[in-house]
């Protein structure tokens, strides 16, 4: 509810008018608080920020379009070279990574395209890797919680940046052995020309394979990793599965990406205990979590290769699959998260909105329009762009992600719908109503992931039976079979959200304006919201424990009764 103040209204005293003004100011501060995303996008070599084929304009415009007053998205662009003004399209030229710049952002997206092996083949001097100072700046940014997205293409395209960043360098294949072998024995990236290439192209509307199939509205199919979060309460053998939050779309699991004739590869590092060096500074590449374990990166989706794809003269390839998206939940180890992708071809204009070699967009020329050519293609593009935004949300610091839950909780608890649908004496029913509301606003995967992150941050999951149900733990413990109804992830979340709502109502005495007035001096850090949510978590977990105890008692009593019946039957 926004408060509009008309100074000409008779009967409103200056004091009352000032109180309304102060209250409005508090509301405005609350509406912008902590929920913004600050993204830096860095490109190099021939990649650009305009609407050319190898431009990133469609991707960047899509991120900016997600901006809302309650969750603004700011995107700043920079180029490591100095291309023409039109290719820069407002980006900062001659960019170098330094900490004072990076700390202004929550996450950095790196689209690297330097190609050392090709430079050597052509008799040119290859671009140098980023300097030790730049690598240390990125490392400090990541160690302080900053998120990083990075991608290149086949062979060593992009290696001069991505191949030299801690953790990023080992989650994706960047090196190609030319002009020098990989510095720490990293495996070679896939070739771009022979039968070992990662060709994901699908035939378009014209018969046969061609390289330009990447520019039509027919996507490649990917195979997301699925996480088991429990079993349906009424159909015990029905397993509930969800993808990683990065691949969770508004219409279900995201299973498509743009196709391309020679992609890179994402993988899980072979040795998480390895050290890494920047200059004379040697350190553990993968830090340990609070239990002393190294958090494992994971491949969250595979791409598929169709047998016989030829891509305009390239030899046909055998069928296969490879890691197309990788993710590292650094928050578990106190550092920033990372997402890597097999190729920037999933993000550039030529793969999204058509190839300019086919002329201006023309409905009679499918490859000139890309996914915009048909309604079905536009649906694919919507899913792909949701993948882009999911990356941004997932890479964001925990404060931003938790803020999303807080905002929607506050909105719902003080709505007429909440009053009509809920009974505050029933914690579980109240929580279920709130969860359904959050599903509509944030999606199922994101809602579960954020609540679970808060539970984990408060050490209420680690070393606990609840850990087996952590929906997005890359190394979950074995789950009980069948999962007890009272231990299903949604039930745990319902207890937490229901108790949180009760605490929020209590804090505000049922009056949101009174809450804002009483806590105006604390809203800079939303302390009151944090206390309400954390108290709700504690109350919810206590209620859950009591429910589990009651359930165990009931099961024990039922077992005794069954044993007694059996004895009576045998005696008869």
């Amino acid at each position: 509810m926004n408060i509009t103040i008309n100074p000409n209204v008779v009967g409103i005293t200056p004091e009352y008018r000032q109180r309304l003004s102060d209250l409005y100011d508090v509301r405005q501060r609350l509406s912008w608080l902590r929920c913004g995303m600050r993204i830096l996008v860095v490109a190099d070599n021939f990649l650009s920020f305009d609407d050319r084929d190898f431009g990133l304009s469609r991707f960047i415009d899509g991120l900016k379009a997600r901006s809302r007053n309650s969750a603004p998205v700011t995107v700043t662009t920079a180029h490591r070279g100095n291309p023409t003004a039109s290719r820069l399209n407002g980006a900062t030229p001659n960019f170098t990574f330094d900490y004072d710049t990076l700390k202004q952002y929550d996450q950095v997206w790196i689209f690297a395209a330097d190609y050392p092996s090709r430079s050597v083949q052509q008799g040119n001097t290859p671009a140098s890797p980023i300097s030790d100072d730049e690598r240390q700046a990125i490392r400090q940014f990541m160690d302080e919680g900053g998120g990083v997205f990075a991608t290149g293409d086949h062979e060593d395209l992009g290696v001069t940046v991505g191949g030299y960043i801690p953790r990023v360098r080992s989650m994706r294949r960047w090196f190609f052995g030319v002009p020098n072998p990989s510095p720490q024995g990293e495996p070679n990236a896939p070739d771009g020309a022979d039968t070992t290439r990662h060709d994901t192209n699908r035939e378009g509307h014209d018969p046969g394979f061609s390289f330009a199939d990447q520019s039509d509205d027919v996507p490649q199919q990917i195979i997301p990793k699925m996480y088991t979060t429990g079993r349906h309460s009424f159909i015990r053998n029905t397993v509930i599965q969800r993808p990683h939050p990065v691949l969770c779309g508004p219409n279900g699991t995201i299973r498509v990406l743009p196709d391309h004739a020679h992609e890179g590869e994402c993988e899980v590092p072979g040795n998480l205990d390895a050290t890494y060096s920047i200059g004379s500074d040697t350190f553990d590449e993968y830090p340990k979590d609070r239990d002393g374990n190294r958090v494992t990166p994971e491949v969250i989706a595979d791409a598929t290769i169709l047998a016989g794809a030829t891509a305009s003269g390239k030899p046909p390839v055998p069928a296969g699959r490879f890691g197309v998206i990788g993710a590292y939940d650094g928050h578990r180890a106190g550092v920033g998260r990372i997402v890597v992708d097999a190729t920037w071809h999933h993000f550039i204009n030529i793969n999204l909105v058509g190839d300019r070699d086919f002329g201006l967009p023309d409905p009679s020329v499918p490859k000139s329009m890309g996914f915009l050519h048909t309604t079905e293609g536009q649906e694919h593009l919507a899913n792909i762009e949701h993948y882009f935004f999911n990356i941004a949300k997932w890479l964001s610091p925990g404060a931003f992600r938790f803020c999303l839950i807080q905002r929607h909780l506050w909105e719902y608890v003080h709505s007429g719908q909440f009053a009509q649908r809920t009974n505050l004496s029933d914690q579980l029913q109240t929580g279920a109503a709130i969860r359904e509301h959050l599903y509509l606003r944030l999606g199922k995967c994101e809602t579960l992931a954020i609540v679970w992150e808060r539970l984990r941050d408060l050490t209420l999951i680690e070393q606990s039976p609840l850990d087996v149900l952590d929906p997005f733990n890359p190394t979950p413990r074995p789950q009980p079979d069948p999962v007890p109804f009272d231990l299903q992830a949604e039930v745990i979340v319902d207890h937490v959200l229901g108790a949180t709502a009760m605490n929020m109502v209590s804090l505000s005495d049922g009056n949101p304006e009174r809450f804002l007035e009483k806590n105006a001096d604390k809203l800079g850090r939303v302390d009151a919201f944090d206390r309400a949510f954390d108290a709700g978590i504690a109350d919810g977990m206590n209620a859950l424990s009591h429910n589990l105890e009651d359930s165990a008692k009931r099961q024990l009593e039922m077992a005794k009764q069954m044993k007694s019946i059996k004895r009576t039957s045998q005696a008869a």
Side-chain angles (χ1 to χ4, degrees):
M1 177 180 70
N2 289 331
I3 298 175
T4 302
I5 302 171
N6 184 348
N8 300 316
V9 174
V10 177
I12 296 182
T13 65
E15 292 78 13
Y16 185 66
R17 186 177 298 121
Q18 183 60 48
R19 190 176 78 81
L20 290 177
S21 179
D22 292 343
L23 178 58
Y24 179 71
D25 178 62
V26 169
R27 281 188 172 277
Q28 287 298 98
R29 283 193 287 132
L30 180 64
S31 70
W32 286 83
L33 195 58
R34 292 198 313 173
C35 284
M37 283 193 289
R38 302 169 300 171
I39 302 171
L40 173 65
V41 180
V42 181
D44 68 15
N45 205 299
F46 52 80
L47 296 178
S48 63
F49 294 105
D50 58 3
D51 60 359
R52 288 178 170 84
D53 284 343
F54 282 75
L56 291 157
S57 58
R58 175 75 192 200
F59 153 71
I60 291 172
D61 289 346
L63 283 184
K64 290 179 177 178
R66 300 280 183 166
S67 185
R68 300 291 185 272
N69 284 343
S70 60
V73 179
T74 59
V75 181
T76 303
T77 54
H79 200 284
R80 296 182 64 235
N82 189 19
T84 61
S86 61
R87 287 184 59 210
L88 283 171
N89 195 24
T92 300
N94 298 316
F95 178 81
T96 58
F97 295 96
D98 70 89
Y99 177 71
D100 286 340
T101 298
L102 295 180
K103 70 180 182 181
Q104 301 174 45
Y105 302 96
D106 302 311
Q107 51 190 277
V108 177
W109 293 54
I110 301 169
F111 294 88
D114 280 336
Y115 198 175
S117 62
R118 177 63 61 85
S119 297
V120 170
Q121 292 168 5
Q122 296 175 343
N124 300 319
T125 301
S128 300
I130 54 175
S131 68
D132 286 354
D133 288 344
E134 289 183 277
R135 294 162 69 194
Q136 284 286 22
I138 298 172
R139 177 193 172 195
Q140 183 177 356
F141 171 76
M142 297 166 70
D143 286 353
E144 293 180 1
V148 171
F149 169 85
T151 185
D153 195 27
H154 62 88
E155 296 171 7
D156 54 347
L157 275 157
V159 68
T160 55
V161 182
Y164 295 89
I165 299 173
R167 297 183 287 280
V168 170
R169 62 146 205 117
S170 59
M171 291 174 58
R172 186 186 180 281
R173 295 194 176 191
W174 298 92
F175 294 91
F176 195 57
V178 180
N180 298 306
S182 53
Q184 293 195 196
E186 293 91 345
N188 259 9
D191 199 301
D194 65 18
T195 57
T196 66
R197 75 183 186 279
H198 289 342
D199 190 330
T200 64
N201 263 355
R202 269 48 175 173
E203 290 187 73
H205 300 285
D206 45 351
F209 289 99
S210 72
F211 201 98
D213 285 336
Q214 67 175 343
S215 300
D216 57 26
D217 62 349
V218 182
Q220 64 164 301
Q221 301 296 315
I222 62 173
I223 305 173
K225 177 179 179 179
M226 302 302 286
Y227 299 77
T228 300
T229 61
R231 283 172 167 76
H232 193 281
S233 56
F234 300 109
I235 309 174
R236 289 285 184 170
N237 294 323
T238 302
V239 177
I240 301 171
Q241 290 190 316
R242 293 184 179 86
H244 191 280
V246 163
L247 290 171
C248 203
N251 300 314
T253 302
I254 298 171
R255 301 181 185 274
V256 295
L257 283 177
D259 50 358
H260 179 57
H262 39 216
E263 302 196 9
E265 181 173 352
C266 303
E267 62 184 357
V268 177
N271 181 12
L272 297 182
D273 294 320
T275 58
Y276 188 63
S277 298
I278 298 178
S280 60
D281 184 7
T282 299
F283 50 91
D284 287 353
E285 182 168 19
Y286 287 92
K288 295 180 179 179
D289 63 18
R290 59 174 169 247
D291 292 330
N293 302 314
R294 301 197 193 279
V295 177
T296 306
E298 51 186 332
V299 171
I300 62 170
D302 283 347
T304 53
I305 303 169
L306 299 184
T310 57
S312 302
K314 293 180 184 289
V317 294
R321 59 190 284 181
F322 62 93
V324 71
I325 305 169
Y328 169 71
D329 187 0
H331 291 179
R332 294 176 179 269
V335 297
R337 287 174 165 174
I338 297 168
V339 173
V340 292
D341 192 291
T343 176
W344 31 251
H345 272 280
H346 299 153
F347 298 80
I348 63 175
N349 296 334
I350 194 172
N351 296 84
L352 298 175
V353 291
D355 187 343
R356 293 290 79 85
D357 283 348
F358 288 89
L360 295 175
D362 182 347
S364 67
V365 184
K367 291 181 173 63
S368 72
M369 297 189 67
F371 288 108
L372 298 178
H373 182 243
T374 61
T375 300
E376 184 179 13
Q378 291 167 26
E379 292 172 354
H380 292 320
L381 182 58
N383 277 317
I384 292 165
E385 292 185 322
H386 205 87
Y387 160 60
F388 300 161
F389 189 57
N390 282 349
I391 296 174
K393 289 189 294 183
W394 194 75
L395 289 179
S396 294
F400 164 81
R401 296 171 59 73
F402 185 43
C403 180
L404 294 176
I405 288 283
Q406 289 173 315
R407 179 175 310 287
H408 292 301
L409 264 173
W410 180 255
E411 169 196 44
Y412 189 60
V413 165
H414 296 289
S415 69
Q417 186 181 16
F418 176 78
Q420 294 171 6
R421 291 190 60 195
T422 57
N423 175 7
L424 283 176
S425 64
D426 187 335
Q427 185 183 95
L428 201 58
Q429 187 264 345
T430 298
I434 294 174
R435 175 169 53 84
E436 292 298 330
H437 175 77
L438 292 174
Y439 279 179
L440 292 175
R441 297 295 187 274
L442 299 175
K444 294 183 179 180
C445 298
E446 196 75 354
T447 298
L448 279 178
I450 294 174
V451 173
W452 227 264
E453 288 162 21
R454 192 66 175 181
L455 285 167
R456 188 183 67 225
D457 290 344
L458 295 175
T459 69
L460 290 171
I461 287 184
E462 300 295 335
Q463 297 181 330
S464 152
L466 301 181
D467 186 54
V468 301
L469 287 178
D470 189 342
F472 308 108
N473 186 347
T475 53
R477 293 175 175 84
Q479 296 198 27
D481 188 14
V483 176
F485 168 67
D486 290 317
L487 270 180
Q488 288 184 33
E490 283 84 353
V491 176
I492 297 169
V493 170
D494 291 348
H495 274 291
V496 168
L497 294 178
T500 300
M502 295 175 186
N503 275 275
M504 282 189 166
V505 171
S506 175
L507 275 172
S508 63
D509 298 325
N511 186 319
E513 281 74 20
R514 189 174 302 137
F515 173 82
L516 292 172
E517 288 181 295
K518 288 168 59 178
N519 295 281
D521 60 325
K522 302 168 185 171
L523 288 178
R525 296 190 308 275
V526 211
D527 290 349
F529 285 96
D530 288 352
R531 288 199 309 275
F533 198 93
D534 294 349
I537 285 177
D539 292 347
M541 299 307 285
N542 286 334
L544 177 63
S545 297
H546 290 309
N547 285 355
L548 290 175
E549 291 174 6
D550 291 343
S551 177
K553 290 177 181 177
R554 289 195 302 271
Q555 291 179 16
L556 181 60
E557 185 61 33
M558 185 177 297
K560 289 179 179 178
Q561 292 177 4
M562 293 298 293
K563 186 177 291 187
S564 175
I565 292 172
K566 184 176 181 180
R567 286 174 179 170
T568 303
S569 174
Q570 290 174 342

